[in-house]
């Protein structure tokens, strides 16, 4: 028998992925030590409200905000150690040791990679003051403090977070311009026709949308050279502004894994059990893991949805405990992706992988009136691979889910 | 065991009804309905529903 109580699993990352990993390790029977290391000072908290409810919530202190979004600690993880405010800067997976920013070395028998993503920053030159991203609690609170009624705000990037932030800022009374990089709001998951319909909705609500524009540089404001005063676009347009929200995607936090012969192109390349290719006794969890798509047999990809940490933690924890015990492997990860976004009181929900579709059709409602409720189907090679619904009761989403799983994706 | 959903938090996402369909249901208006009293063999699926709730509105307590 292996005496696991003297062995240690270290989880790098103390957000939803790290938390779920610790819970699932206990659920999988791991009774050895678990230490979760996170670079933020906060215990695991829920991120979706950061661009919605929390961003809209007036005058919360960091503690009050954290109390609203913190995850409950489950009984079975009471003995899990959380080392917070501590970044892992490098690792030697062969020697099974991590180095922290303060020089401390931490050894492990098993490792969970859950270091997630950080917000991508624009590289266009100019002052940083007044420019925000939305990834952490501190980001959201700092941005909220600047969103006063009448403030000019330019949002750069029209993915889910950019659209949510634009909607929230407008509802707080700001004057909002949305600079889209590509083919329309949320076009990657939704497709161009649907994106166009959502753009019309944003414009009707009072957001100025500028399609297919790119940022050339930021200009300082007249009274403070450290703060942004205008955004200059490659088209030559100049947008005076007081606040900029950069919502241009994210970057996987993989630097601490360099030097271990891993494939770190766009996250950590894993097998279908979430084991980084070329490692043993290591798994990855959440949106940093790039793993095979067993449903659609597509190239391995990362999934940046809220449900991914929970879905991947289950497989990863069972796999890691099995590998450490020399036991047989569990089922690989094949969870059906799902995502949602809330904008101007409208819930947009998606299932499956609409971004991989080559054809789409409106199945319910009309794109001319999204608020009355729509459902859009997405097909690839004539197989239903995704469904997006907006403004419909959740029961409809559940019905479409049945249709989608019946299509065997 | 007893299930409690904080209705102030619940936003009717419906994820619980996917995880534990025999305990949680969405009615035709899209509003959550659920059984308060569950049996021991339903605990695992309710734990699953607790985890997947985007607003973390579900609690499970012993009677």
């Amino acid at each position: 028998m292996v005496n696991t109580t003297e062995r240690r699993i270290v989880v790098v990352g103390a957000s939803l992925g790290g938390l779920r990993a610790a819970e699932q390790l206990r659920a999988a029977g791991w009774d050895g030590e678990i230490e979760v290391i996170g670079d933020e000072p906060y215990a695991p908290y829920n991120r979706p409200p950061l661009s919605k409810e929390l961003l809209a919530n007036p005058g919360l202190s960091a503690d009050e905000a954290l109390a609203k979004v913190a995850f409950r600690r489950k009984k079975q993880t009471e003995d899990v150690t959380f080392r917070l405010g501590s970044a892992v800067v490098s690792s030697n997976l062969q020697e099974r040791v991590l180095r922290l920013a303060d020089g401390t070395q931490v050894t492990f028998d098993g490792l969970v990679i859950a270091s997630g993503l950080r917000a991508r920053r624009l590289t266009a030159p100019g002052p940083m003051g007044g420019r925000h991203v939305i990834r952490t609690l501190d980001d959201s609170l700092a941005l909220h403090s600047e969103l006063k009624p009448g403030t000019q705000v330019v949002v750069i990037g029209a993915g889910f977070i950019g659209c949510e932030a634009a909607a929230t800022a407008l509802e707080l009374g700001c004057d909002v311009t949305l600079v889209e990089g590509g083919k329309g709001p949320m076009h990657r998951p939704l497709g161009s026709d649907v994106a166009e319909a959502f753009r019309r909705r944003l414009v009707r609500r009072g957001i100025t949308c500028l399609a297919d524009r790119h940022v050339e540089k930021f200009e300082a404001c007249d009274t403070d050279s450290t703060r942004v005063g205008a955004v200059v676009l490659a088209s030559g347009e100049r947008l005076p502004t007081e606040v900029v929200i950069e919502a241009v995607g994210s970057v996987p936090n993989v630097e601490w894994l360099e030097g271990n012969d891993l494939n770190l192109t766009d996250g950590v390349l894993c097998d279908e059990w979430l084991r980084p290719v070329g490692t043993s006794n290591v798994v990855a969890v959440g949106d940093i893991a790039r793993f095979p798509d067993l449903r659609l047999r597509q190239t391995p990809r990362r999934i940046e949805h809220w449900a991914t940490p929970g879905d991947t933690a289950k497989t990863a924890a069972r796999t890691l405990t099995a590998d450490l015990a020399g036991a047989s492997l569990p089922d690989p990860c094949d969870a059906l992706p799902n995502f949602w976004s809330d904008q101007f009181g409208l819930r947009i929900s998606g299932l499956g992988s609409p971004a991989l579709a080559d054809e789409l059709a409106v199945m319910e409602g009309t794109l001319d009136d999204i608020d009355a409720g729509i459902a859009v189907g997405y097909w690839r090679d004539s197989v239903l691979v995704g469904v997006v619904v907006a403004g419909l009761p959740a029961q409809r989403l559940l019905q479409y889910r049945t249709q989608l799983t019946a299509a065997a994706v | 065991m007893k299930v409690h959903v904080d209705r102030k938090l619940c936003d009717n996402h419906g994820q619980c009804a996917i995880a534990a369909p025999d305990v949680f249901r969405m009615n035709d208006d899209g509003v959550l309905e659920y059984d308060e009293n569950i049996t021991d063999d339903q605990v695992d699926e309710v734990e699953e529903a607790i985890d997947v709730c985007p607003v973390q509105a579900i609690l499970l307590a012993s009677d």
Side-chain angles (χ1 to χ4, degrees), chain B residues 3-45:
Chain B
V3 177
H4 173 73
V5 175
D6 185 336
R7 291 285 187 176
K8 288 198 298 291
L9 288 176
C10 177
D11 207 8
N12 296 303
H13 278 262
Q15 293 298 319
C16 55
I18 295 171
D22 56 337
V23 177
F24 302 93
R25 290 165 301 274
M26 308 307 293
N27 71 18
D28 289 342
D29 297 326
V31 177
L32 172 68
E33 294 172 352
Y34 67 102
D35 303 330
E36 280 189 9
N37 297 297
I38 60 159
T39 58
D40 286 350
D41 56 5
Q42 290 174 316
V43 169
D44 281 355
E45 58 175 310

Side-chain angles (χ1 to χ4, degrees), chain A residues 145-391:
Chain A
S145 70
E146 297 214 312
L147 297 180
K148 308 272 186 287
T151 303
Q152 288 174 308
V153 177
V154 171
V155 181
I156 299 161
F160 286 121
I161 291 175
C163 290
E164 289 172 0
T168 305
L170 194 89
E171 285 173 333
L172 289 170
C174 301
D175 176 1
V176 182
T177 301
L178 181 62
V179 177
E180 302 167 19
K183 299 165 190 148
M186 307 167 285
H187 74 89
R188 214 172 346 167
L190 302 185
S192 311
D193 293 353
V194 183
E196 178 56 39
F198 275 100
R199 177 192 288 129
R200 289 196 298 270
R201 182 172 188 268
L202 293 172
V203 171
R204 268 200 311 276
R205 295 287 174 143
I207 292 174
T208 305
C209 289
L210 301 176
D212 202 15
R213 304 292 214 288
H214 297 274
V215 176
E216 177 89 19
K217 62 177 178 179
F218 297 97
E219 284 179 3
C221 79
D222 295 339
T223 51
D224 181 350
S225 62
T226 66
R227 274 194 72 96
V228 68
V231 182
V232 179
L233 303 177
S235 59
E237 290 156 292
R238 185 177 175 279
L239 311 172
T241 193
E242 297 161 89
V243 172
V244 170
I245 302 174
E246 300 179 19
V248 289
S250 40
V251 182
N253 293 319
V254 294
E255 289 79 1
W256 63 280
L257 289 163
E258 282 167 2
N260 288 293
D261 284 330
L262 305 183
N263 182 334
L264 300 177
T265 310
D266 190 26
V268 181
L269 180 66
C270 298
D271 65 15
E272 56 264 55
W273 287 275
L274 285 318
R275 297 179 298 191
V277 173
T279 63
S280 59
N281 300 337
V282 179
V283 291
V285 160
D287 43 21
I288 196 170
R290 186 158 68 88
F291 61 103
D293 179 346
L294 294 185
R295 290 172 176 273
L296 301 177
R297 307 275 162 201
Q298 295 301 305
T299 332
R301 84 285 194 225
R302 297 187 303 103
I303 306 178
E304 290 187 19
H305 303 328
W306 181 86
T308 308
D311 292 338
T312 51
K314 231 173 282 174
T315 305
R318 289 170 188 165
T319 300
L320 183 56
T321 48
D323 277 346
L324 284 165
S328 56
L329 286 171
D331 291 336
C333 187
D334 71 339
L336 183 72
N338 81 81
F339 57 89
W340 85 94
S341 177
D342 293 323
Q343 297 166 27
F344 293 122
L346 184 79
R347 164 82 36 85
I348 305 161
S349 306
L351 292 168
S353 304
L356 295 176
D358 51 34
E359 188 192 344
L360 66 85
V362 177
M363 301 193 288
E364 189 172 335
T366 161
L367 290 180
D368 293 330
D369 189 4
I370 295 172
D371 290 84
I374 55 159
V376 184
Y378 295 80
W379 287 263
R380 182 187 178 88
D381 299 330
S382 305
V383 176
L384 186 67
V385 296
V387 175
V388 170
V389 308

Side-chain angles (χ1 to χ4, degrees), chain A residues 46 72 74 314 347 395, chain B residues 11 26 48 51 54 58:
Chain A
N46 205 16
R72 279 191 295 271
K74 290 189 182 178
K314 231 173 282 174
R347 164 82 36 85
Q395 178 55 18
Chain B
D11 207 8
M26 308 307 293
E48 173 82 23
D51 286 354
I58 309 170

Side-chain angles (χ1 to χ4, degrees), chain A residues 19-70:
Chain A
L19 176 68
R20 290 288 183 256
E23 292 168 354
Q24 292 296 331
L25 284 165
R26 285 284 180 254
W30 177 260
D31 57 2
E33 194 185 330
I34 301 175
E35 176 168 359
V36 181
I37 304 175
D39 60 352
E40 283 188 71
Y42 308 117
Y45 60 88
N46 205 16
R47 294 188 195 273
L50 302 184
S51 53
K52 314 178 188 76
E53 301 90 335
L54 199 72
L55 187 58
N57 221 315
L60 292 177
S61 69
D63 287 343
E64 290 164 336
L66 184 63
K68 278 188 180 294
V69 294

